[in-house]
Amino acid sequence: MAAVIVAGFLSLTAQSASAQSTTSRFDVYSPSMDRWISNDVISPAGGGPAPTFYLLTGVGGGEDGISWFNNTGVRDFFDDKHVNVVMPIGGKFSMYTDWNADDPVLGRNKWQTYLTKELPAAVNSRYNTTGVNAIGGVSMAGGPVLDLAAQAPGLYRAVGSYSGCARTADLMGQTAVRSMVEVLGRGNVSNMWGPPGGPEWAAHDPMVNAEKLRGTALFIATGNGIPGPVDGINSLVGVLGVIPGSALESITQMCTAGLQQRFNQLGIPATFSYLPQGSHTWGLFEADMRASWPMIAGAIGA
């Protein structure tokens, strides 16, 4: 394993078992949060510049050891694919957004700035990229990846949203956000976007801002809450083991159906996937990510 420091970036690199892709731990300094953020990166072997697929994890931000990198077969799946896959570690209970104020419990969160400005600049500097991007996110990140695409027009050509709730302005959306930020994270949502129901809650709602997603390739997936073979052995495990996965996935199915109705009303093209089974588990998340890949790969030239 080799350590490389370039312009403030720290990268630890190791060759994969099949010698096709390379895995790296890439630490990037975030000026907006005044700290270093670790990122797991899978980069292809040779073949010239490649596009980049950013993958965000759930409510624990990967800081709890639960992530795409640790809980799925992403390294094997992307081993022979011509794409850089970047998986940030951090952002627990943050909704991957810029908070208005530092929180006594959750600290300083400027994740929109980091993900849309600081991290892409660092990745493009360190890795052999084309500058073309896509983003995917699961559970807590399922809504925010759509919001990030709306907030940074043109940055992502494709978005994969897996088992998320893409609404924040109405009562259902506010309840979902507060359950993650306040109930699980013990943070104060008023430090994020101000009091619930305020204008910033609507400004970050993909349902409200659906028009801003027109022209982006979109894949939005959910199970139905009924455990099945796709879940593997974790069919009843929910967020941090607190809420049953069947209940969580039932909620994401309702959110997804509402988003599809909104897109249909506006005539915005998007692919919606509803598996006839699936609890809120990494087995389901990985299956949906793999199903979304052909569309995402086509959009970014991977």
Side-chain angles (χ1 to χ4, degrees), residues 1 203 224:
M1 180 174 289
N224 63 3

Side-chain angles (χ1 to χ4, degrees), residues 265-276:
Q265 289 171 345
L266 296 174
I268 296 175
T271 298
F272 285 84
S273 173
Y274 298 85
L275 287 185

Side-chain angles (χ1 to χ4, degrees), residues 9 26 54 114-126:
F9 313 138
F26 185 42
Y54 295 91
Y114 177 72
L115 293 167
T116 63
K117 296 178 180 179
E118 296 167 353
L119 180 59
V123 168
N124 290 337
S125 175
R126 171 65 180 87

Side-chain angles (χ1 to χ4, degrees), residues 215-235:
T216 303
L218 304 168
F219 189 101
I220 301 156
T222 181
N224 63 3
I226 300 174
V230 71
D231 296 306
I233 63 173
N234 298 312
S235 62

